[in-house]
Structure formats: C-alpha cells, structure tokens
C-alpha cells in the first residue's frame, strides 16, 4: 500500500497571493521607472505634446532626478524587514504602495513651483515608501510557498519586475505624446497603485492560516510542506520569537556572494533601465513615440524570457538534469555574462546602425531575466526564516548602485549625442557584470545555511554555557581546596 502524496489543489490561494505580489511589483515599478521617459518628455516637449511646460534641465540635473528615488529607497530596506516581522506583510505592503501612489500624484503640481529639486524630493520620498516592499515580498513568499513550489511561485511573482518596467517605458511614452501630456504619466501611475491597494486588502493574508478564502486541503498542503522541513522551526516561528543571527549572517560567504552578484547585476540593469530613453534620443536620434516603443521592447523580451527560463528550469529540475545549484549558477551566468558581451558590442554602434543597436539592447535586457531565478530567489535558499531580513540587506546594497550609475553617466556623458562618451558607460558596466558573477559562481550556495535554524543561537550558547559550567566547577574545587588548607593550618 503506497502513501498518497498531498500535492494540494492545482490552483488556490497561494496562486492568488503570488498574482497579487506580481501586480504589486508592476504598479510600484510603473511609479518608480516612469521617470526615465518623463524627464525626456519634460525637457523636450516638441517630441511629445508641446501644450505642456518644458524645462531646461541639463544632463546632471536629469541624472539627479533619476537617482533621487534610491536616496530614500536604501534607507528603509531594514525597516521593511522589521515591520514585516512585527506587523506582517499585508499592512506593510499596503503602506508602501499607497504612500508611493499618493506621492507620484504630486509631481505635476509641485515641479512647476519647485523645479527639478522638487521632483528629486518627491522621488526620494517615494523611495522611502517603496523600500518597504521587497523585504515583505520575500517574507510573504516564504510563508505561502510550499517547499517544492518556491522556485516556480517566486519566479512568477518576480516577473512583475519586467512587466512593470515594460509598462513604465511604453505606456509612459504613449501617454506623454497623447492629449494628457507628461502630467498624465503621473495620474495613471497613481490610479493603478490605488486600485491594487483595494484588491490587496480584500484578498491578501499574512499566512495561510489567517486567510478566510483558503480551502482546508490547500491549508493542510502548505502547512505540512513547511512543517516537514522543520517542525520545531515552525513552532517557534508561529510565536514570532526567532532571533536574527546577525553575526552568522554577516560572516557568511554564501550571503556575501549573493550580495555582490545582486549589486553587480543591478549596475548593468540600472544603467540600461535609466538611460535607454536618453541614449535612444541622443545617439540613435529616435523621436518620443519611437523611443517609447523601442525603450519598452527590451523589457517585453525580458518578460517573455522570464517565462522561458521558468518553464526550462521546471523541466530541468523535474527530470533531475540539473540541481537547484546548477540552475541558479547557470542562469546567473547567462544573465550577467551575455549582457556584458552585448553592452560592449552596443558601445561601438551609432545612429547608422539603429536596428543592430536596438537588437543588442533587447538581447542584453531580455537575457538578464534569468537573474530572478539565478540569484534573486537565493535569499529563500539560504534562509526561509530570515528571507525578509536577507532581502532587506541585499536590496539595500543593490539599490545603492542605481544612485551611482545615473551620476556616473552624468559625469561621463557631457554631450548625449557623443557615442564615444556612452562607450565608456557600457564598457564599465560589462566589466562589473563579469567579475560579480564570477564571485557568485565560486562562493554562492543554494541550500539552507546552519544559521537558518530557529534554535541556531541556542546551540551557539550551549558550548559557552558548558564552558562556564566547567569553569565554575574548577573554581569551586579550588575554593574547597583552599578552605581545606586553611583548616589544616589552623
């Protein structure tokens, strides 16, 4: 008689939560990355809708606008992990998205009054709110994903990265050229954020047991899968008492391999993400509508490639062709090294080779979609119990980088029409991508680390307690011997 394996329902609340996380990334990325198109429209009204104000911002001021979001973003990563541990992902993610949506609405009203400095201040405050998002997202996945589905559901949720960037680029360009003009970009960004907040409050729950919509079969499936991994950890986790082993995390080489590769991948990705519209306008001489279409094309390719990567990884894992370690390191290498080659090729092209330049940019960003499975989900591999904390640390470092890359572009590119100045930007990014991934291949690990255990710190204290006990016994015996000697002498 064989034991029946509980695989849970084909579709259930875990998929609803995953879809809501997918949408949360989309609406936040629309608000986050619409600036790449918006600053071009706001400084070159002739290519969009000339009925709206135009601003005379130089390249450095535009670079400050693009990087300002991350000034606030890096400050609240740890706070996001802390709020999620104490108040749950549901309310923390609501606060993050609603705050960002309200702030993006302010841009058309405050920029005419405060100029590029006001735009920077608003984006910095948006970053403060959105910084809460990703630590919660990974913690929410760890709570809802059965162990055997973490790779699939985590990848599906993170597809919002590519879809959100795609919509930010394409929709923003189309709206800027429409009767709404560039202010319409911000109205729409606010609207979709508010709609998501309503849906999130209706359908989300911090844990499967707290959900009022989940079936008993699915609840048993998720909880049994997690408890099978470590029943004692779940017992402690339920009481919210798992302490964070900071020293063990910060001295873990696999953690630092993840940290470095996420930073270097962020360097290459953010360089293209923020600068594609400016590069296409300045070097390839494309107008705004064409610019919007071709700027979005790489992210359409990335979104499609994300599905291909996911399907392929499922097949390879199911057939046992590759382990999760092989999958992660192979995908990370594809996502880092092939774009590095494409960037070097891109740096030698000009407006006479527009088609090839667009193909290389599309290939570079499209193949980079492998970084989600390759490295982004590694936080859950290393420590499901501390996935939110790990994501907070990693995301802080990875988002310091987008502060630096636009400023570096502003320092190097004094004339946006000069291909040779852009050449340096792309070659530097290629070098960074290569060496970051090399370190990850050598030192990265895709298994739970010892410090993931709920009672890890207790085990660390036991040897110390035993040592203290032995020392106390020795001291006691020495004291007894001394007293005996004193007694004999008297």
């Amino acid at each position: 008689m064989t034991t029946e394996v509980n695989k849970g329902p084909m579709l259930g609340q875990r998929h609803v939560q995953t879809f809501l996380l997918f949408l949360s990334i989309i609406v936040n990325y629309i608000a986050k990355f619409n600036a790449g198109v918006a600053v071009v429209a706001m400084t070159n009204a002739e290519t969009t809708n000339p009925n709206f104000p135009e601003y005379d911002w130089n390249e450095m001021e535009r670079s400050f606008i693009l990087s300002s979001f991350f000034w606030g973003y890096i400050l609240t990563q740890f706070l996001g992990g802390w709020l999620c541990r104490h108040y749950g992902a549901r309310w923390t993610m609501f606060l993050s998205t609603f705050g960002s949506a309200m702030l993006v609405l302010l841009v058309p009203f405050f920029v005419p009054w405060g100029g590029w400095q006001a735009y920077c201040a608003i984006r910095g405050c948006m970053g403060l709110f959105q910084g809460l998002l990703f630590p919660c997202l990974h913690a929410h996945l760890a709570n809802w994903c059965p162990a055997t589905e973490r790779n699939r559901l985590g990848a599906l949720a993170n597809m919002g990265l590519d879809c959100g960037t795609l919509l930010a680029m394409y929709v923003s360009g189309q709206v800027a050229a429409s009767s709404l003009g560039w202010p319409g970009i911000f109205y729409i960004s606010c609207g979709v954020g508010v709609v998501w907040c309503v849906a999130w409050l209706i359908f989300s729950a911090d844990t499967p047991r707290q959900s009022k919509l989940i079936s008993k079969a699915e609840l048993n499936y998720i909880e049994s899968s997690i408890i099978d991994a470590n029943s004692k950890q779940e017992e402690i986790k339920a009481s919210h008492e798992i302490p964070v082993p900071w020293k063990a995390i910060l001295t873990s080489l696999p953690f630092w391999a993840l940290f470095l590769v996420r930073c270097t991948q962020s360097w290459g990705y953010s360089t293209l993400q923020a600068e594609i519209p400016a590069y296409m306008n300045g070097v390839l001489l494309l107008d705004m509508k064409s610019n919007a279409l071709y700027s979005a094309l790489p992210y359409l390719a990335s979104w499609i490639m994300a599905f291909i990567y996911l399907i392929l990884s499922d097949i390879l894992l199911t057939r046992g062709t590759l382990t999760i370690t092989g999958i992660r390191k192979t995908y990370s290498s594809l996502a880092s090294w092939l774009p590095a080659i494409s960037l070097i090729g891109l740096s030698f092209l000009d407006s006479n080779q527009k088609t090839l330049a667009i193909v290389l940019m599309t290939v570079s960003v499209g193949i980079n979609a492998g970084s989600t499975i390759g490295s982004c989900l590694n936080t859950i591999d290393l420590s499901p119990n501390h996935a939110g904390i790990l994501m907070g640390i990693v995301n802080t470092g990875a988002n310091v980088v987008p502060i630096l890359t636009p400023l570096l572009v502003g320092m190097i590119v004094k004339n946006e029409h000069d291909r040779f100045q852009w050449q340096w930007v792309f070659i530097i990014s290629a070098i960074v991508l290569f060496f970051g991934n090399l370190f990850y291949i050598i030192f990265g690990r895709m298994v739970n680390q010892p410090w993931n255990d709920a009672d890890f710190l207790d085990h660390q204290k036991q040897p110390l307690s035993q040592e203290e006990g032995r020392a106390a016994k020795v001291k006691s015996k020495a004291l007894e011997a001394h007293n005996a000697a004193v007694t004999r002498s008297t």
Side-chain angles (χ1 to χ4, degrees), residues 430-472:
I431 293 170
V432 168
L433 282 168
F434 177 82
F435 285 105
N437 187 67
L438 183 63
F439 191 85
Y440 183 65
I441 288 176
I442 297 171
F443 297 110
R445 297 293 181 270
M446 288 75 208
V447 294
N448 284 181
Q449 296 301 292
W451 39 265
N452 175 63
D453 292 344
D455 53 357
F456 173 78
L457 290 179
D458 292 335
H459 289 158
Q460 294 290 301
K461 291 175 183 177
Q462 284 176 5
L464 181 60
S465 299
Q466 292 171 1
E467 189 67 32
E468 289 173 347
R470 285 193 294 268

Side-chain angles (χ1 to χ4, degrees), residues 115-128:
W116 68 270
Q117 294 93 335
Y119 199 175
C120 286
I122 292 170
R123 280 181 56 78
C125 292
M126 286 173 60
L128 288 172

Side-chain angles (χ1 to χ4, degrees), residues 72-263:
Y73 194 69
I74 63 171
L75 297 178
T76 51
Q77 296 292 314
F78 289 108
L79 178 61
W82 185 87
L83 288 173
C84 188
R85 285 170 70 89
H86 288 80
Y87 300 103
R90 186 168 182 261
W91 284 108
T92 308
M93 290 181 68
F94 171 82
L95 173 66
S96 171
T97 304
F98 187 76
S100 174
M102 292 298 98
L103 284 164
V104 76
L105 184 63
L106 300 179
V107 175
F109 303 100
F110 279 76
V111 169
W113 165 73
W116 68 270
Q117 294 93 335
Y119 199 175
C120 286
I122 292 170
R123 280 181 56 78
C125 292
M126 286 173 60
L128 288 172
F129 279 97
Q130 287 202 27
L132 307 174
L133 181 70
F134 275 93
C136 289
L137 189 143
H138 278 233
H140 200 61
L141 284 171
N143 285 336
W144 274 91
C145 294
T148 55
E149 297 184 21
R150 280 177 184 160
N151 189 64
R152 183 186 306 118
L153 296 181
L156 285 170
N158 279 278
M159 283 180 186
L161 299 170
D162 306 303
C163 188
T165 310
L166 163 66
L167 292 174
M169 294 289 187
Y170 181 72
V171 175
S172 296
Q174 297 301 314
V175 171
S178 72
S179 59
L180 292 174
W182 60 258
I185 296 173
F186 307 103
Y187 303 148
I188 291 173
S189 298
C190 173
V192 295
V194 171
V195 170
W196 178 87
C197 286
V198 174
W200 177 249
L201 289 180
I202 294 172
F203 295 107
S204 69
D206 285 320
T207 64
R209 187 158 290 277
Q210 292 176 9
S211 175
K212 297 178 181 178
L213 304 173
I214 194 169
S215 68
K216 187 175 181 179
E218 185 179 18
L219 176 62
N220 291 336
Y221 168 55
I222 296 172
E223 290 191 336
S224 63
S225 172
I226 296 173
I227 289 172
D228 284 345
N230 193 316
S231 58
K232 184 173 182 181
Q233 289 185 36
E234 288 308 308
E235 180 183 336
I236 299 174
K237 187 175 181 179
S239 61
H240 301 283
E241 293 177 359
I242 299 182
V244 180
W246 289 109
K247 182 179 178 181
I249 292 174
L250 297 177
T251 55
S252 170
L253 197 56
F255 167 73
W256 286 112
L258 169 63
F259 181 89
L260 182 62
V261 78
R262 293 304 298 162
C263 289

Side-chain angles (χ1 to χ4, degrees), residues 23-44:
L23 293 178
S24 75
I25 298 174
I26 288 178
V27 299
N28 280 283
Y29 264 46
I30 288 173
K32 179 179 181 179
F33 289 117
N34 60 30
V37 174
V39 293
V40 175
M42 295 166 78
T43 56
N44 191 359

